[in-house]
Amino acid sequence: MMVKKKLRKIMALVGLAFAAKALAMEGKDEQVSGKIHESRYHTPFPLQKGGEKIDVLVRVEETDRAYGLYLIFVLKQNWPEEKKEALYRLYQGYIAWREPHKPYPVKIRLLIDSVDLKNDVHIDRLVTERSLKFSRDADNGAETWYANALFMERLPAGVYRIRLENAVAVPEIDFMTLFAFEKDNRKY
């Protein structure tokens, strides 16, 4: 019984490695690293020029909670108030409730594909609307992260290839932006 279980695990790992390699070879201009990232993964994703891309593998564990893919606006606490307000206006759409709502300038193409053979997930979306999720302090209070959800749904346990492409240049975003992959563990 134990031998069968170990053999199944080895076969699954070999299949996963083969599938990841095959997906990496699929597109000549799109290379995915072999590293599989776990929840609480963050990486820079600038938006100023347009055409910026991210291509990563992530692991979703068996859970009753959703996993989220987020675009994070990073506000530095030592900035002048005008710059803080400009970032918040991009994130929220307004500062004072009476002023006109600023349209969301970000347009991101999101592709999610299952890598392992036990799931058949393919998601292709163009994210063009705000989806405010959370803010939190980072770097010992020197930064505040404002997160917009790009995707926040339950996925079957497995490994997924996540590809993001910034569809338009947003030169007014002259601050750091991050892509984040996290399991939702907030208390509601």
Side-chain angles (χ1 to χ4, degrees), residues 4-181:
K4 281 185 179 179
K5 193 173 188 178
K6 287 184 180 184
L7 280 174
R8 271 190 248 140
K9 284 184 180 181
I10 290 171
M11 288 174 33
L13 286 172
V14 169
L16 179 60
F18 179 78
K21 185 175 181 180
L23 278 174
M25 297 171 129
E26 199 173 274
K28 292 185 195 284
D29 62 331
E30 294 182 37
Q31 290 295 324
V32 62
S33 77
K35 181 165 176 51
I36 299 173
H37 300 282
E38 305 291 332
S39 177
R40 291 292 223 176
Y41 169 71
H42 307 99
T43 190
F45 184 50
L47 303 173
Q48 290 84 10
K49 296 178 185 172
E52 297 92 347
K53 295 180 182 181
I54 288 182
D55 194 344
V56 296
L57 295 173
V58 298
R59 180 180 324 281
V60 171
E61 297 174 349
E62 189 67 44
T63 181
D64 61 343
R65 303 301 295 265
Y67 277 79
L69 305 175
Y70 303 100
L71 174 64
I72 296 178
F73 292 173
V74 179
L75 179 141
K76 302 278 187 187
Q77 293 301 329
N78 63 357
W79 285 351
E81 284 305 311
E82 301 82 39
K83 187 165 182 172
K84 289 179 183 179
E85 286 180 5
L87 179 147
Y88 197 72
R89 187 173 282 113
L90 280 168
Y91 174 72
Q92 183 77 24
Y94 60 91
I95 295 293
W97 63 273
R98 292 184 190 133
E99 72 181 22
H101 198 76
K102 179 176 179 57
Y104 193 51
V106 177
K107 292 181 181 24
I108 295 176
R109 182 166 183 226
L110 169 67
L111 290 153
I112 302 173
D113 290 296
S114 56
V115 173
D116 45 16
L117 301 175
K118 61 183 176 181
N119 298 320
D120 186 27
V121 174
H122 174 73
I123 297 168
D124 185 351
R125 293 185 183 161
L126 185 63
V127 180
T128 61
E129 300 293 324
R130 289 178 178 88
S131 179
L132 310 180
K133 281 302 174 194
F134 64 87
S135 65
R136 71 170 168 239
D137 289 337
D139 195 16
N140 294 320
E143 299 176 348
T144 301
W145 288 9
Y146 291 101
N148 268 298
L150 301 171
F151 178 86
M152 188 160 179
E153 297 174 21
R154 287 197 177 114
L155 289 169
V159 176
Y160 295 87
R161 182 179 183 189
I162 308 295
R163 288 168 286 174
L164 297 177
E165 182 175 0
N166 182 23
V168 297
V170 190
E172 68 236 51
I173 295 183
D174 62 345
F175 48 85
M176 184 188 312
T177 50
L178 303 171
F179 163 72
F181 164 71

